[in-house]
Amino acid sequence: SDFVSVSSVFETEKKLPDFPNQLWYRFPEKYLAYIEKRADAFAPVALLVAMFLGEDLLIKGDVSSRLCYHLREYQNIFCVWYPSVFSPVTISCEKVLSLNNTIKRGEGVATAFSGGIDSFYTLWAHLPEREEILGANLTHGLFVHGLDLSLSDLPSYDTAFQIYESVFTELGLELIPAYTNAYDFSALRIDWTIFHAAPLIGTALALGSLFQRFYVPSSMVDFHSLNPYGSSPLTDHLLSTERTEIINHESGTSRS
């Protein structure tokens, strides 16, 4: 089938070998109407790259005012957690979109889904028979290629997607395939366990016109051990926008 991509050019002062100059997200063409024509999806990744390089960040596209404000706290936390990796930088957003309580939000509620125990638990917990709060039930899953599986390994991704799609279909839900080259910004530079949440959430923000809420299944064991990690209940929600609320789901539940 046909796909549509949304991308942003990254311009850096330091020139690193094999460093990509463009971050992109790709979706099936039928989701074209839901793709945000804003910089929200790219800002979290750009910030981590800027902090790694020690270069101030200027975001030239339209940015959610909520996201732009909370990027400062996002930076503060990562700089405290990983002082040997990141340096504080100045964050400038050229076109901040004013807060607007009447902004039209999508009707979709999605979870990141990779097929692991965390993903299945979040899926299970938000089925209508278990989650009675209106607007919290899942409508979609988002299965992103280029995060857990390398973009070069398309057969494994396609096989997994077909299996998981059948599960979602049986539950009356829709699983969306998505693709990103975000790993190329992390490779051999920033540990993926630190980096991964920004592009995962960025993929959801790229479909911000579809999702009013996006769950990130927790990677934590429980609240007794909130160690520094790329995805955390202390940081994920800071990447919310006026359109899309980001929720790190169930850090208080152990894997066992």
Side-chain angles (χ1 to χ4, degrees):
S1 59
D2 294 328
F3 292 87
V4 58
S5 295
V6 57
S7 62
S8 176
V9 173
F10 281 34
E11 297 177 350
T12 62
E13 294 176 5
K14 297 175 184 174
K15 303 304 178 185
L16 300 178
D18 301 319
F19 193 77
N21 68 349
Q22 192 173 78
L23 171 64
W24 53 260
Y25 302 100
R26 183 178 300 150
F27 307 93
E29 191 175 32
K30 69 177 183 177
Y31 298 101
L32 175 61
Y34 299 109
I35 291 179
E36 286 282 10
K37 299 175 179 66
R38 306 189 334 196
D40 299 341
F42 306 97
V45 173
L47 176 57
L48 293 182
V49 171
M51 291 159 56
F52 174 74
L53 295 174
E55 298 181 6
D56 291 341
L57 175 62
L58 171 61
I59 303 172
K60 294 185 177 181
D62 292 344
V63 186
S64 151
S65 60
R66 179 178 179 180
L67 176 61
C68 188
Y69 179 83
H70 284 297
L71 283 178
R72 304 172 192 168
E73 186 71 2
Y74 194 77
Q75 171 178 229
N76 291 340
I77 294 172
F78 275 83
C79 284
V80 169
W81 278 353
Y82 306 105
S84 64
V85 179
F86 298 124
S87 302
V89 300
T90 298
I91 304 169
S92 302
C93 300
E94 199 171 71
K95 301 176 183 178
V96 179
L97 302 182
S98 300
L99 283 169
N100 183 353
N101 293 329
T102 63
I103 191 169
K104 184 178 179 182
R105 303 181 70 191
E107 298 180 356
V109 177
T111 181
F113 191 85
S114 62
I117 188 170
D118 307 332
S119 295
F120 270 107
Y121 179 73
T122 298
L123 170 61
W124 175 85
H126 291 92
L127 296 177
E129 58 266 32
R130 293 180 185 84
E131 179 51 80
E132 299 177 354
I133 296 177
L134 190 66
N137 301 139
L138 284 175
T139 59
H140 295 79
L142 189 63
F143 187 34
V144 186
H145 191 192
L147 301 184
D148 292 341
L149 285 172
S150 168
L151 281 176
S152 62
D153 189 2
L154 188 58
S156 293
Y157 176 82
D158 286 343
T159 298
F161 179 80
Q162 291 174 12
I163 295 170
Y164 299 145
E165 184 182 34
S166 67
V167 173
F168 273 71
T169 300
E170 285 183 25
L171 295 170
L173 307 175
E174 185 176 352
L175 184 62
I176 300 174
Y179 309 80
T180 180
N181 69 329
Y183 182 81
D184 293 341
F185 289 85
S186 165
L188 304 179
R189 298 178 181 90
I190 308 172
D191 190 289
W192 186 243
T193 61
I194 300 174
F195 193 84
H196 72 282
L200 172 62
I201 294 171
T203 309
L205 295 182
L207 289 178
S209 295
L210 175 59
F211 302 140
Q212 62 172 301
R213 180 178 291 191
F214 183 68
Y215 298 115
V216 180
S218 176
S219 301
M220 301 294 167
V221 176
D222 57 45
F223 282 121
H224 293 291
S225 56
L226 286 180
N227 298 317
Y229 196 67
S231 175
S232 166
L234 298 178
T235 54
D236 289 351
H237 68 98
L238 296 173
L239 302 184
S240 299
T241 69
E242 290 77 25
R243 281 199 199 275
T244 308
E245 180 183 14
I246 307 300
I247 297 176
N248 182 284
H249 177 249
E250 281 292 348
S251 288
T253 301
S254 70
R255 277 201 167 94
S256 60

